[in-house]
């Protein structure tokens, strides 16, 4: 009944579940297939159609061929889908499709593998939301996406199917909740008509068809009118959506990016539209991805339009191949290049195929990933010509005649003789240029493991090297030398950060000259460096190295014709005496370095048992602080701010306290600096912000007052790119209006890179939050910062207020600060007010608010609530 090929397939693949279909229905299945479908015997599933047990989540070649019933299937094709058993279970399977002619009918043979119990045989990429397999890099996925779409174009798949598939793949590649739609320009009606949007709400689809061209007529209408990309970050407020903005908002869409689809001759075909539920702007990678999709869509539409005028299928195939970014070559036995597309010529720098002739004339050598050379005869084309077996996804390097190196991802397919399937008459080579991707990966790897300023290994690479050294230490010793520059801050303060950066580079060069090639020098950040020393006999070697470093660092540093003298404090720990793991050795060396600073700086100290006790104390403190965050041991005190205009409480500053079990309340100066040092200040600061906003809103509602809460933000919190988003989430969760929150920063924060600060400031100010500059007048910042950054309030430091009105200098400076603030449109708050004379002076000088012990110390939530209650009653009486 079945041809010999069918019997051979059963024998060759006994590990697969095999099903035979005629006219789309089951006529035979082996025992594995019957078990996979949870049937008792063949009779239970005979006559069952393929679409009753196979479910495809997206268009693919297997489904296309099964639907068409076509017998034109040159090779077996494979896809991933889900199999529905007789019990209603859904299994992830790999399905391979073969076809055999039986008289005038088409017989299909399906080979199925259960991905939960069998290895994956398919060589091409599958997205995780289909099978759960890991994703490749975005660049590789995009290349694969483009390749498959172009293959669909080459197979003459329907345009609707191609556009639907492009939308589906775009949404999976972007992977950010986006929904893709494709609109085509109708020349007859001069409107945009919906062509594809598989992920869109059906009701939304009904409202977005037949879009007018022009301003206010959806983003796509403006994109076609202007022939330019149009990005709408906020649909509800965009003039581009003037007449229809309520439609997308009703379906939860708040931003839209529209890219006009153009042919190579700049003919407008329509738009690619990406709708997003959030208000956002596309990243550079997302824009590139959309532009690439636009080109593929343009190619698909253009091809369909050109088919009417193309004479033969050969012309259609050539049009597609010539537009591929992939290189395509056909090579005959002996190495002669029969043909190649423009991308192959461009990638391999081939000027003339006829002049090139044999393939080895356009390159000097080819080599593997491990740099070993591949000899002619062992190259992929020769192997396929010899064996007739295809080679897929082989990465090779090639040195061209101009000595340029290109890296290629190569696929080689045999082209069999038309009369003999066993004879290979040529090979088809397709390859992608991955040189730029590899170079980008190399650069990213370098950036991830090296300090950007000095080029030295960074903390990440240091930890890896230290772990490796300790793993292979055995009987030999390993030492960690921790170095910190003395008085480095003075260079930044006097000469500027650029001069400080230059000095750090000079320090790196000097330290490198002191160590052996087998040692490692790394920069942890700031002015901290670490040396890992291996293969030394005694501590004398470490002493000599430390003395050599101290001598080298005593030489003056010359920056902008000025000399700077720096010292170096050095701490040394040794494996295995001081620790058996990298973090412990670093911590011990750090402790020894701090001892060197305490003993006068510019010296070195070895880690000792006394330092072990000190390190244990720091470790215990760190452990207790981390526990305090988890166990909610922190509380907030509030110190009121009083208006000098009417004496009313207008706000408060939130101040953290640690209520440690069995000890009591601990002041912030005893744990906040250490929290900043060990990186706990960010989660601690988030806790303070959340609790303070929640309490402030309760007081605003309870006492019906316009109350503003002030929260201190550390420099490390400002370095957190998620800070503005977190603040927004806190405001939404607490219900506190943005104008009722004030963030207090210190002058030291303004000395970091201004470009980074400006982005954070802009994001915070956009929310409507005010910013106060705390402890004004005590830092090293320039008054120019008051113009460069959006400061709303200045807090005069208590050191000025303390001697008012007795000290004339303090009086003059305070009046000057208040006058300057008034001229710049800033409000002024004086902290540390302790008596009536100070209050009267500040009121006469034009100060807006005061804060200090004269009115109230920082108090608990309960006491502050009573204070607000008394003042509210007094206000009503007065």
């Amino acid at each position: 009944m079945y041809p010999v090929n069918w019997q051979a397939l059963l024998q060759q693949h006994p590990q697969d579940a095999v099903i035979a279909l005629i006219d789309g229905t089951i006529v035979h299945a082996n025992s594995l297939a019957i078990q996979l479908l949870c049937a008792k015997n063949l009779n239970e599933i005979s006559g069952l159609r393929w679409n009753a047990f196979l479910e495809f989540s997206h268009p693919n070649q297997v489904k296309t061929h099964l639907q068409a019933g076509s017998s034109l299937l040159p090779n077996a094709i494979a896809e991933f889908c889900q199999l529905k058993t007789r019990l209603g279970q859904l299994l992830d399977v790999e399905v391979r499709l073969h076809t055999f002619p039986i008289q005038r009918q088409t017989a299909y043979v399906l080979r199925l593998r259960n991905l939960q119990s069998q290895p994956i045989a398919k060589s091409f990429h599958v997205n995780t939301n289909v099978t759960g397999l890991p994703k490749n890099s975005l660049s590789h996925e995009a290349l694969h996406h483009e390749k498959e779409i172009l293959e669909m174009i080459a197979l003459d798949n329907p345009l609707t199917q191609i556009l639907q598939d492009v939308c589906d793949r775009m949404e999976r590649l972007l992977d950010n909740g986006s929904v893709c739609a494709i609109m085509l320009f109708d020349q007859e009606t001069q409107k945009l008509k919906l062509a594809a949007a598989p992920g869109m709400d059906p009701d939304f689809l009904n409202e977005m068809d037949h879009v007018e061209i022009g301003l206010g007529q959806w983003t796509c209408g403006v994109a076609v009118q202007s022939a330019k990309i149009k990005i709408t970050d906020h649909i509800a407020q965009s003039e581009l959506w003037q007449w229809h903005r309520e439609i997308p908002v009703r379906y939860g869409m708040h931003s839209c990016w529209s890219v006009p689809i153009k042919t190579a001759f700049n003919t407008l075909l329509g738009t690619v539209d990406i709708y997003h539920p959030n208000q956002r702007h596309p990243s550079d990678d997302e824009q590139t991805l959309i532009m690439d999709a636009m080109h593929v869509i343009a190619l698909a539409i253009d091809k369909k339009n050109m088919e009417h005028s193309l004479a033969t299928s050969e012309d259609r195939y050539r049009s597609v191949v010539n537009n591929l970014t992939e290189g395509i070559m056909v090579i005959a036995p002996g190495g002669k290049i029969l043909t190649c597309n423009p991308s192959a010529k461009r990638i391999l720098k081939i000027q003339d195929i006829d002049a090139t002739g044999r393939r080895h004339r356009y390159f000097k050598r080819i080599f593997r990933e491990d740099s070993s050379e591949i000899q002619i005869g062992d190259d992929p084309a020769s192997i396929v010509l010899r064996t007739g077996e295809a080679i897929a996804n082989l990465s090779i390097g090639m040195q061209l005649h101009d000595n340029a190196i290109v890296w290629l991802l190569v696929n080689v397919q045999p082209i069999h003789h038309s009369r003999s399937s066993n004879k290979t008459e040529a090979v088809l080579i397709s390859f992608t240029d991955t040189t730029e991707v590899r170079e980008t990966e190399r650069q990213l790897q370098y950036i991830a493991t090296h300090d950007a300023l000095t080029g030295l290994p960074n903390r990440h690479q240091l930890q890896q090297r230290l772990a490796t050294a300790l793993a292979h230490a055995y009987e030999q010793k390993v030492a960690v030398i921790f170095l910190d520059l003395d008085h480095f801050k003075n260079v930044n303060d006097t000469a500027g950060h650029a001069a400080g950066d230059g000095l750090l580079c000079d320090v790196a060069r000097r330290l490198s000259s002191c160590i052996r090639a087998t040692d490692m020098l790394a920069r942890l950040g700031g002015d901290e460096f670490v040396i890992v020393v291996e293969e030394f006999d005694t501590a004398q070697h470490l002493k000599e190295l430390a003395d050599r470093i101290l001598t080298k660092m005593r030489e003056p540093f010359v920056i902008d014709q000025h000399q700077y003298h720096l010292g170096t404090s050095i701490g040394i720990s040794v494996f295995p005496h001081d620790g058996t793991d990298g973090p412990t050795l670093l911590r011990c060396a750090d402790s020894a370095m701090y001892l060197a600073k305490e003993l006068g700086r510019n010296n070195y100290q070895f880690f000792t048992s006394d330092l072990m006790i000190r390190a244990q104390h720091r470790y215990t403190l760190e452990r207790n602080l981390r526990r305090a965050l988890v166990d909610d041991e922190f509380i907030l005190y509030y110190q009121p701010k009083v208006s000098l205009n009417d004496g009313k409480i207008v706000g408060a500053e939130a101040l953290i306290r640690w209520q440690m079990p069995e000890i009591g309340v601990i002041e912030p100066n005893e744990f906040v600096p250490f929290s900043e040092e060990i990186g706990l200040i960010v989660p601690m600061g988030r806790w303070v912000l959340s609790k303070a906003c929640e309490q402030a809103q309760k007081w605003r509602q309870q006492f019906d007052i316009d109350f503003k809460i002030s929260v201190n933000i550390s420099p490390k919190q400002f370095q957190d790119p998620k800070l503005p988003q977190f603040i927004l989430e806190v405001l939404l969760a607490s219900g506190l209006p943005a104008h009722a929150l004030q963030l207090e920063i210190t002058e030291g924060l303004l000395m970091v890179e201004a470009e980074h600060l400006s982005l954070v400031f802009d994001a915070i100010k956009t929310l409507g939050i005010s910013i106060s500059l705390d402890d004004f007048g005590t830092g090293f910042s320039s008054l120019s910062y008051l113009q460069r950054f959006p400061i709303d309030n200045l807090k005069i430091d208590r050191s000025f207020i303390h001697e008012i009105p007795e000290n004339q200098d303090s009086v003059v400076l305070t009046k000057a600060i208040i006058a300057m603030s008034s001229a710049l449109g800033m409000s002024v708050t004086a902290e540390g007010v302790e008596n009536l004379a100070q209050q009267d002076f500040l009121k006469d000088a034009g100060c807006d608010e005061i804060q200090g012990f004269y009115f109230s110390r920082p108090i608990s939530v309960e006491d502050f609530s009573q204070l607000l209650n008394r003042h509210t009653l007094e206000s009503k009486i007065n």
Side-chain angles (χ1 to χ4, degrees), residues 267-279:
T267 302
L268 281 170
L269 303 176
T271 60
V272 181
D273 304 317
I274 304 297
Y275 290 86
H276 200 281
N278 297 329
Q279 300 169 14

Side-chain angles (χ1 to χ4, degrees), residues 159 163 182-187 191-195 213 220 223-224 227 259-272 294-306:
L159 179 61
L163 298 183
I182 297 174
M183 309 287 288
L184 296 184
F185 182 63
D186 189 335
Q187 292 286 352
K191 295 181 179 180
L192 284 170
K193 187 176 181 180
L194 180 67
I213 306 301
C220 55
V224 169
V259 179
I261 304 172
K262 302 178 184 178
T263 67
F265 303 99
N266 283 327
T267 302
L268 281 170
L269 303 176
T271 60
V272 181
M294 181 273 291
H295 292 306
V296 174
I297 295 168
L299 179 63
I301 300 171
D302 218 16
K303 177 181 177 296
K304 294 298 178 181
N305 293 337
M306 290 170 58

Side-chain angles (χ1 to χ4, degrees), residues 583-878:
T584 300
L585 288 171
L586 279 169
R587 191 163 55 246
C588 292
D590 188 27
S591 297
M593 182 273 295
Y594 274 107
L595 177 61
K597 284 187 177 294
E598 292 175 10
L599 295 178
R601 303 177 183 267
N602 202 32
N603 67 91
Y604 65 86
Q605 296 294 324
F606 282 83
F607 187 75
T608 64
S609 57
D610 290 339
L611 288 176
M612 181 73 76
I613 297 173
R614 181 185 298 187
Q616 186 63 37
H617 172 71
R618 289 169 60 86
Y619 170 74
T620 302
L621 179 59
E622 179 177 350
R623 184 185 60 189
N624 288 337
L625 278 171
R626 294 187 185 279
R627 187 207 66 238
L629 272 175
V630 175
D631 295 348
D632 201 19
E633 295 178 5
F634 294 111
I635 58 175
L636 287 183
Y637 275 30
Y638 298 88
Q639 186 172 32
K641 292 184 177 181
V642 178
S643 170
L644 286 175
N645 182 39
D646 54 15
K648 293 182 179 179
I649 298 176
V650 293
E653 180 180 0
L655 301 164
I656 191 170
R657 299 289 188 269
W658 183 4
Q659 196 168 34
M660 195 172 182
E662 300 179 2
I663 294 180
V665 177
I666 300 176
E667 294 295 315
N669 60 324
E670 296 187 29
F671 64 89
V672 168
F674 185 68
S675 299
E676 186 124 19
E677 181 182 333
I678 63 175
L680 282 180
I681 197 67
V682 173
M684 189 183 296
R686 287 190 166 201
W687 180 88
V688 171
L689 185 64
S690 179
K691 290 293 183 182
C693 289
E694 179 183 338
Q695 184 59 54
Q697 181 61 9
K698 289 180 180 178
W699 282 329
R700 288 173 61 88
Q701 293 176 341
Q702 179 181 354
F703 297 104
D704 191 23
I705 55 175
D706 187 10
F707 184 88
K708 179 177 289 188
I709 190 71
S710 296
V711 179
N712 292 284
I713 301 294
S714 76
K716 284 194 176 180
Q717 284 179 271
F718 250 76
Q719 295 170 9
D720 182 5
K722 298 179 181 179
L723 176 62
Q725 180 61 33
F726 177 75
I727 294 174
L728 177 60
E729 292 171 0
V730 168
L731 292 177
L732 293 175
S734 65
L736 184 71
H739 73 268
L741 173 62
Q742 185 172 82
L743 303 182
E744 294 194 8
I745 62 174
T746 59
E747 291 182 302
L749 171 64
L750 304 181
M751 299 178 67
V752 301
E753 292 298 328
E755 183 178 354
H756 163 73
L757 271 185
S758 296
L759 295 175
V760 179
F761 271 116
D762 290 344
I764 291 174
K765 294 298 294 182
T766 300
L767 297 176
I769 297 166
S770 62
I771 296 176
S772 173
L773 189 58
D774 196 8
D775 300 333
F776 182 75
T778 62
F780 295 96
S781 61
S782 168
L783 291 178
S784 63
Y785 289 130
L786 299 180
Q787 291 181 309
R788 295 169 59 190
F789 297 105
I791 307 299
D792 301 287
N793 173 268
L794 290 184
K795 288 190 73 174
I796 305 176
D797 186 70
R798 66 182 68 250
S799 61
F800 292 100
I801 307 302
H802 180 67
E803 298 182 355
I804 288 175
E806 294 83 7
N807 188 306
Q808 190 60 29
D809 290 340
S810 296
V811 168
V812 172
L813 286 172
T814 301
K815 287 183 176 180
I817 292 172
I818 294 173
M820 176 189 65
S821 301
S822 176
L824 293 174
M826 303 176 188
S827 62
V828 181
T829 302
E831 58 181 352
V833 178
E834 298 180 352
N835 54 58
L836 179 61
Q838 292 171 349
Q839 174 181 288
D840 292 341
F841 166 79
L842 291 167
K843 183 175 183 179
D844 293 340
C847 183
D848 299 292
E849 300 171 353
I850 60 170
Q851 176 183 346
F853 290 178
Y854 177 66
F855 189 81
S856 173
R857 292 175 176 272
I859 53 179
S860 66
V861 172
E862 295 76 13
D863 291 341
F864 199 95
S865 296
Q866 294 177 9
L867 181 64
L868 283 176
N869 187 48
R870 289 198 304 271
H871 273 257
T872 302
L873 292 174
E874 291 174 2
S875 298
K876 291 180 179 180
I877 294 172
N878 295 333

Side-chain angles (χ1 to χ4, degrees), residues 21-75:
L21 304 173
I22 293 181
D23 287 339
T25 61
I26 296 178
V27 296
H28 182 80
N30 67 0
S31 59
L32 288 178
I34 295 172
Q35 294 174 15
L36 192 63
L37 286 167
C38 297
K40 296 179 180 178
N41 51 51
L42 179 61
N43 292 334
E44 282 192 2
I45 58 175
S46 293
L48 195 65
R49 284 196 62 79
W50 63 270
N51 56 7
F53 61 91
L54 290 180
E55 294 188 5
F56 297 87
S57 61
H58 63 286
N60 53 65
Q61 296 184 67
V62 171
K63 181 179 180 181
T64 300
H65 281 281
L66 287 173
Q67 286 177 329
S70 172
S71 61
L72 299 177
L73 187 65
N75 297 300

Side-chain angles (χ1 to χ4, degrees), residues 197-240:
M200 193 73 75
D201 187 305
D203 294 331
F204 191 13
L205 296 179
N206 295 331
E207 298 196 58
M208 69 184 297
D209 206 358
H210 299 290
V211 174
E212 299 280 351
I213 306 301
L215 186 64
Q217 304 290 342
W218 304 55
T219 306
C220 55
V222 183
V224 169
Q225 182 188 48
S226 63
K228 295 179 180 178
I229 299 174
K230 294 297 178 182
I231 297 174
T232 304
D233 294 331
H234 192 179
I235 291 176
Q237 296 181 1
S238 174
E239 63 177 5
L240 303 186

